[in-house]
């Protein structure tokens, strides 16, 4: 029997558990076209101050940085988001850097960046939160226009609006997920961009940076909610969706990913 005073117990309950990745719904649900959930942003913020994802009806890209959430719309505009907006898929953590590395020479492409990040990872088999602040000579992003009618995700992501900005300071926000978790979260490195002036952002497709600082957090635990909607409860998830998700992630075949 715990004999701690009630006040201490209440304090313990309020403490934030560190280094947990929160997933609001398995990404497979999004891939299978479940674009609505009743998970409010206010709920997601209980699990992190650093997040990415999308909104109900696939209405743009979500970027949360330092506890502030932004929606990058299908026309490329960036708006702050209120806590009552709902999301069908978001991943979040309370960001606290474990390591910090300066890329003084920057990087020449997203492939070059991913190679450099790979050298910083202690292992491919862990989850990481990544924050990369830098001076970017080029950033290309995409977002998703709001979907009024159901279409398969992979079809939607074949024709996505893309946006480019040169000479922009900002942050890449994202996560690395082991490949064996691909039904729960986008496998590999998944990054969204947000400019320092909060006027440009989206799902990262390509970038070059003059210099950058990488901050890394190892996430050792996972917490995930499962949707309770009829659509989720009655969907057949036996199909292998890895190909659809990979296509949605790749710029050459499709300039987009759902979240
Ligand atoms: Zn994304």
């Amino acid at each position: 029997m715990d004999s701690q005073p009630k006040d201490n117990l209440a304090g313990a309950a309020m403490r934030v558990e560190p280094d947990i990745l929160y997933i609001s719904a398995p990404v497979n649900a999004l891939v299978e076209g479940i674009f609505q959930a009743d998970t409010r942003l206010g709920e997601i913020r209980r699990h992190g101050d650093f997040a990415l994802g999308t909104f109900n009806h696939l209405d743009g890209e979500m970027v949360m940085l330092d506890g502030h959430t932004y929606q990058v719309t299908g026309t490329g505009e960036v708006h702050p988001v209120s806590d009552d907006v709902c999301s069908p898929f978001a991943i979040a953590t309370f960001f606290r850097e474990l390591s910090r590395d300066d890329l003084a020479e920057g990087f020449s492409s997203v492939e070059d960046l991913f190679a450099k990040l790979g050298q910083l990872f202690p292992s491919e088999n862990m989850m990481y939160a990544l924050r990369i602040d830098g001076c970017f000579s080029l950033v290309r992003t995409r977002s998703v226009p709001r979907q009024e009618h159901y279409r398969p995700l992979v079809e939607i992501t074949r024709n996505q609006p893309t946006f480019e900005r040169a000479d922009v300071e900002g942050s890449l926000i994202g996560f690395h997920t082991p490949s064996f978790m691909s039904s729960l979260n986008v496998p590999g490195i998944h990054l969204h961009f947000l400019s320092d002036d909060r006027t440009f952002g989206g799902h990262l497709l390509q970038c070059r940076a003059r210099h950058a600082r990488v901050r890394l957090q190892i996430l050792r635990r996972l917490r995930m909610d499962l949707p309770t909607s009829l659509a989720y409860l009655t969907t057949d998830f036996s199909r292998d969706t890895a190909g659809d998700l990979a296509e949605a992630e790749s710029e050459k075949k499709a300039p987009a990913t759902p979240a």
Side-chain angles (χ1 to χ4, degrees):
M1 191 69 184
D2 198 325
S3 61
Q4 279 186 295
K6 274 186 181 172
D7 283 352
N8 284 358
L9 286 174
M14 291 292 290
R15 263 203 309 273
V16 172
E17 286 188 84
D19 304 328
I20 295 180
L21 179 69
Y22 171 71
I23 303 180
S24 72
V27 75
N28 258 12
L30 201 68
V31 176
E32 293 293 14
I34 299 173
F35 301 150
Q36 292 184 66
D38 56 7
T39 310
R40 293 178 188 278
L41 180 60
E43 170 65 18
I44 294 162
R45 295 205 310 123
R46 289 182 56 234
H47 301 283
D49 58 7
F50 180 94
L52 55 75
T54 186
F55 299 96
N56 274 6
H57 305 283
L58 285 189
D59 191 11
E61 306 281 350
M62 178 194 295
V63 192
M64 187 196 295
L65 184 62
D66 298 326
H68 299 283
T69 312
Y70 299 88
Q71 174 191 25
V72 182
T73 71
T75 56
E77 294 165 53
V78 180
H79 303 297
V81 185
S82 66
D83 271 352
D84 55 357
V85 169
C86 290
S87 166
F89 176 76
I91 52 177
T93 193
F94 287 99
F95 188 79
R96 52 169 203 172
E97 68 188 75
L98 177 72
S99 65
R100 180 185 292 204
D101 292 273
D102 284 319
L103 304 179
E105 305 298 315
F107 44 85
S108 60
S109 65
V110 73
E111 293 79 12
D112 186 29
L113 170 63
F114 282 15
K116 287 180 162 74
L117 292 175
Q119 290 170 359
L120 298 177
F121 295 162
S123 165
E124 284 287 313
N125 300 335
M126 294 297 283
M127 302 180 292
Y128 305 104
L130 296 159
R131 174 174 176 165
I132 302 150
D133 300 301
C135 179
F136 295 80
S137 49
L138 174 87
V139 178
R140 183 156 67 245
T141 63
R142 73 113 233 249
S143 187
V144 192
R146 181 184 170 95
Q147 304 293 309
E148 296 299 344
H149 304 289
Y150 168 78
R151 283 193 295 155
L153 180 71
V154 69
E155 191 182 306
I156 293 167
T157 55
R158 278 180 188 140
N159 295 295
Q160 292 306 301
T162 63
F163 313 100
E164 237 179 64
R165 190 169 284 188
D167 301 316
V168 56
E169 297 195 6
S171 305
L172 290 165
I173 294 117
F175 298 87
H176 169 272
T177 304
S179 56
F180 60 81
M181 289 173 57
S182 61
S183 59
L184 307 182
N185 194 7
V186 178
I189 298 168
H190 179 191
L191 298 170
H192 286 190
F193 184 79
L194 186 65
S195 65
D196 283 354
D197 64 6
R198 307 300 191 243
T199 63
F200 176 75
H203 172 94
L204 182 72
L205 296 176
Q206 189 52 270
C207 61
R208 284 196 302 272
R210 296 191 177 89
H211 53 82
R213 171 170 291 178
V214 178
R215 293 189 245 184
L216 183 72
Q217 175 183 15
I218 299 178
L219 304 174
R220 293 188 53 239
R221 285 181 293 171
L222 177 66
R223 176 180 174 150
M224 185 173 69
D225 284 330
L226 295 177
T228 55
S229 63
L230 186 63
Y232 175 78
L233 296 174
T234 56
T235 293
D236 177 1
F237 286 105
S238 60
R239 189 174 74 95
D240 183 354
T241 54
D244 278 11
L245 192 53
E247 178 177 341
E249 277 285 299
S250 123
E251 183 178 18
K252 285 172 191 156
K253 291 181 191 168
T257 197

